[in-house]
Amino acid sequence: VDQPLVPKQFHLGMFEIGRPLGKGKFGRVYLARERTTGFICALKVLYKSELQQGTGVEKQVRREIEIQSNLRHPNILKLYGHFHDSKRIFLILEYAGKGELYKHLRREQRFPEWKAAQYIAQMAAALRYLHRKHVIHRDIKPENILVGIHGEIKISDFGWSVHAPNNRRNTLCGTLDYLPPEMIKSGSKDNWYNEKVDLWSLGVLTYEFLVGEAPFEDTPIMTHKRIARADMTIPDWVSKEAKDLIKKLLVLDPEKRLPLEEVQNHPWIIKHCVKGERAANREKPLK
Ligand SMILES: Cc1nn(C)cc1-c1nc2c(-c3cnn(Cc4cccc(C(=O)N5CCN(C)CC5)c4)c3)c(Cl)cnc2[nH]1
């Protein structure tokens, strides 16, 4: 059974709290073990005082709980349950054995093509699952991806998903790098409710995995301009297949972006799927 934490009512006394795993804008995460079952999880602690500063974060947390607890996919971080006390909200999250992807990316500078392709294939599978359930993530970036013990990636942080951020201020306080043109242009916001926004971010992610920096990285003003024109250059040393995929995702017109099914069948992805990886390592001959 992959839902070992079954009881509906959780409370802090059920957990032994371990080392801090990390902290974000709105909370800290600790390694935790459920006392009776020994089940290891990550406990995210949010202080109600910090959330109640009217920045709409409380709604985001409610949305994160409502959405993520109904999702079950190997490339999406599970939210097993939540509870609160007088001062704090606790999210019981799946423990990702290899931590935050962006730290791996910074340490390795950039990923080899086979690893980037495997990650993008997993992202495409997770996004297809989300879009089939009418969930749009809207905040795909390395900081929101964790790595499981077997090296598989897990999308986390659903604070921005489904309904577009209802006030641009929140959106713009994060990095602009991943925002699609339709979300940085003023004017009609109905495109914000279109799942194609995640396709653009998938293109930005592919570029950053391979190059080590985002395609439109610049001063905020210039980033804004460059996104609006899809103005980026892909270094020559990036393979032509990878270039082709990036160019088919970073398309201004949301309707013209490569659909996820075609991302999964793209030659660059096929070439580096599990069979390809062995070939790439030239060790074990294909059976
Ligand atoms: C570290 C580590 N090393 N090893 C070997 C394993 C880990 C590990 N960490 C986690 C974590 C974890 C920890 N911190 N973080 C970062 C963090 C912590 C708290 C809040 C945030 C946050 O506010 N976010 C919102 C903004 N977006 C960009 C970002 C999200 C963000 C996640 C989780 Cl949730 C699950 N499993 C883990 N495993």
Side-chain angles (χ1 to χ4, degrees):
V1 175
D2 69 349
Q3 288 287 18
L5 288 162
V6 176
K8 281 294 155 236
Q9 287 309 319
F10 295 102
H11 59 84
L12 195 52
M14 294 167 81
F15 298 94
E16 275 174 282
I17 307 299
R19 74 176 181 91
L21 291 172
K23 62 183 175 28
K25 261 185 313 202
F26 304 110
R28 292 163 192 76
V29 175
Y30 298 89
L31 188 60
R33 179 171 43 209
E34 204 276 327
R35 291 185 197 281
T36 43
T37 58
F39 186 77
I40 295 291
C41 56
L43 204 58
K44 186 165 172 180
V45 185
L46 301 150
Y47 283 86
K48 291 181 181 176
S49 55
E50 286 176 9
L51 301 183
Q52 273 147 6
Q53 278 145 14
T55 55
V57 180
E58 209 170 337
K59 267 204 308 293
Q60 248 183 283
V61 172
R62 233 191 295 281
R63 204 178 302 134
E64 181 174 355
I65 293 173
E66 166 206 318
I67 290 165
Q68 210 168 343
S69 33
N70 295 310
L71 300 173
R72 286 170 69 174
H73 186 277
N75 299 115
I76 294 174
L77 196 77
K78 283 182 186 60
L79 171 63
Y80 296 111
H82 63 284
F83 57 93
H84 62 94
D85 64 15
S86 57
K87 296 199 301 286
R88 298 164 291 187
I89 298 173
F90 299 87
L91 305 185
I92 308 165
L93 292 161
E94 175 182 359
Y95 172 66
K98 289 195 174 152
E100 297 178 86
L101 181 73
Y102 87 92
K103 290 183 181 169
H104 294 268
L105 182 54
R106 296 291 171 265
R107 193 180 320 122
E108 299 172 38
Q109 264 116 42
R110 53 179 196 258
F111 295 140
E113 296 223 355
W114 64 267
K115 186 185 278 192
Q118 298 236 333
Y119 283 163
I120 295 303
Q122 291 170 44
M123 286 300 292
L127 287 173
R128 274 186 79 181
Y129 172 85
L130 286 177
H131 292 177
R132 268 201 301 273
K133 296 179 83 100
H134 307 298
V135 173
I136 311 169
H137 189 280
R138 205 169 272 106
D139 199 11
I140 299 294
K141 56 187 175 187
E143 293 79 353
N144 286 340
I145 301 172
L146 293 161
V147 188
I149 197 68
H150 303 298
E152 75 282 17
I153 55 171
K154 299 194 176 262
I155 302 181
S156 67
D157 185 29
F158 283 77
W160 289 111
S161 53
V162 166
H163 302 295
N166 44 23
N167 76 30
R168 297 166 59 79
R169 189 171 43 75
N170 284 6
T171 325
L172 300 185
C173 80
T175 164
L176 275 169
D177 283 328
Y178 277 74
L179 288 182
E182 62 269 25
M183 283 180 80
I184 60 166
K185 274 185 197 140
S186 46
S188 81
K189 292 194 177 153
D190 44 11
N191 265 331
W192 287 21
Y193 294 84
N194 184 326
E195 84 277 355
K196 307 276 194 285
V197 298
D198 288 338
L199 296 178
W200 174 276
S201 305
L202 188 63
V204 177
L205 193 68
T206 308
Y207 183 104
E208 182 162 359
F209 282 172
L210 292 169
V211 181
E213 60 187 35
F216 309 107
E217 209 159 296
D218 209 315
T219 64
I221 308 269
M222 279 311 293
T223 298
H224 202 283
K225 279 197 167 67
R226 295 179 57 200
I227 291 173
R229 294 194 204 112
D231 159 24
M232 55 131 189
T233 47
I234 307 175
D236 290 347
W237 41 266
V238 174
S239 72
K240 66 180 184 323
E241 297 91 347
K243 274 194 189 113
D244 181 73
L245 177 58
I246 293 168
K247 283 183 189 150
K248 287 177 177 164
L249 288 169
L250 295 183
V251 175
L252 286 179
D253 178 352
E255 296 311 312
K256 294 207 172 72
R257 289 169 198 158
L258 199 66
L260 289 167
E261 299 82 327
E262 292 179 48
V263 172
Q264 289 181 302
N265 297 325
H266 187 277
W268 184 62
I269 298 291
I270 299 297
K271 177 171 143 189
H272 291 292
C273 68
V274 177
K275 296 191 295 298
E277 187 199 351
R278 272 202 290 280
N281 296 344
R282 298 267 177 278
E283 274 150 27
K284 306 165 227 57
L286 281 182
K287 286 197 189 62

